[in-house]
Amino acid sequence: MSTLMKEDGFDYVFNPSACEECAGRCCTGESGYIYVSKAEIEAIAKLLELDVKEFMREYLFKKMYKYSIKERKNGDSYECVFYDAATNGCSIYDARPLQCKTFPFWDYYKTRVDELKLECPGILDKEDESV
Ligand code: SF4
Ligand code: SF4
């Protein structure tokens, strides 16, 4: 039996073993925003051994009053610049932003489970918890 993750207030559970076969769909696909706070910016810059300003110039862009991680185009798709296809993982994993850490348990998806299932193959209904 897999170890499923669950969070109070969510009608679904998450099977993390699905990530092995998934090719990082949550880090790739449609263009989106990967927001980073000031503390997260400092933590990622430190991990990459970069000056904060240099890191921001190279890897972030401003969206209204926030900062988001840049993406690169890959065919018809986009991917976070820190997605590493070779390892199917995140190259800043230890300092990845909260937005990434909390996926797939976002308030946005509480009422949009079908949309989430299309993106993430690890989503199961609560009644499937015995999987
Ligand atoms: S989309 Fe879901 S299964 Fe795929 S890598 Fe992201 S969390 Fe894992
Ligand atoms: S920071 Fe890491 S976990 Fe977050 S979208 Fe980029 S590659 Fe994925």
Side-chain angles (χ1 to χ4, degrees), residues 14-27 88 103-104 116 119-123:
F14 171 57
N15 175 11
S17 63
C19 300
E20 290 158 28
E21 303 290 325
C22 162
R25 274 198 235 168
C26 52
C27 307
N88 188 26
F103 183 84
L116 176 60
E119 172 162 358
C120 176
I123 302 303

Side-chain angles (χ1 to χ4, degrees), residues 4 8 13 65 68-69 90-91 126 128-130:
L4 298 177
D8 287 343
V13 296
Y65 56 92
S68 176
I69 296 174
C90 173
S91 62
K126 269 204 165 151
D128 297 329
E129 274 189 64
S130 56

Side-chain angles (χ1 to χ4, degrees), residues 26-27 34 69 80 82-83 90 92 96-97 100:
C26 52
C27 307
I34 309 149
I69 296 174
C80 172
F82 295 121
Y83 176 66
C90 173
I92 55 161
R96 70 199 190 287
C100 305

Side-chain angles (χ1 to χ4, degrees), residues 25-35 61 63 68-81 99 106 109 115 119:
R25 274 198 235 168
C26 52
C27 307
T28 66
E30 285 181 27
S31 182
Y33 300 107
I34 309 149
Y35 291 115
F61 66 94
K63 170 69 181 166
S68 176
I69 296 174
K70 286 181 184 173
E71 298 171 305
R72 60 180 163 240
K73 200 150 188 330
N74 183 2
D76 293 335
S77 178
Y78 291 85
E79 59 191 30
C80 172
V81 288
Q99 178 178 327
W106 293 353
Y109 287 124
E115 182 184 334
E119 172 162 358

Side-chain angles (χ1 to χ4, degrees), residues 39-74:
E40 289 167 344
I41 290 170
E42 288 169 0
I44 301 168
K46 188 174 175 199
L47 183 80
L48 297 176
E49 299 181 348
L50 290 175
D51 170 77
V52 168
K53 281 198 175 133
E54 187 185 351
F55 165 71
M56 290 177 74
R57 202 167 41 242
E58 184 79 12
Y59 294 105
L60 303 183
F61 66 94
K62 204 159 187 197
K63 170 69 181 166
M64 306 287 280
Y65 56 92
K66 295 182 182 177
Y67 284 94
S68 176
I69 296 174
K70 286 181 184 173
E71 298 171 305
R72 60 180 163 240
K73 200 150 188 330
N74 183 2

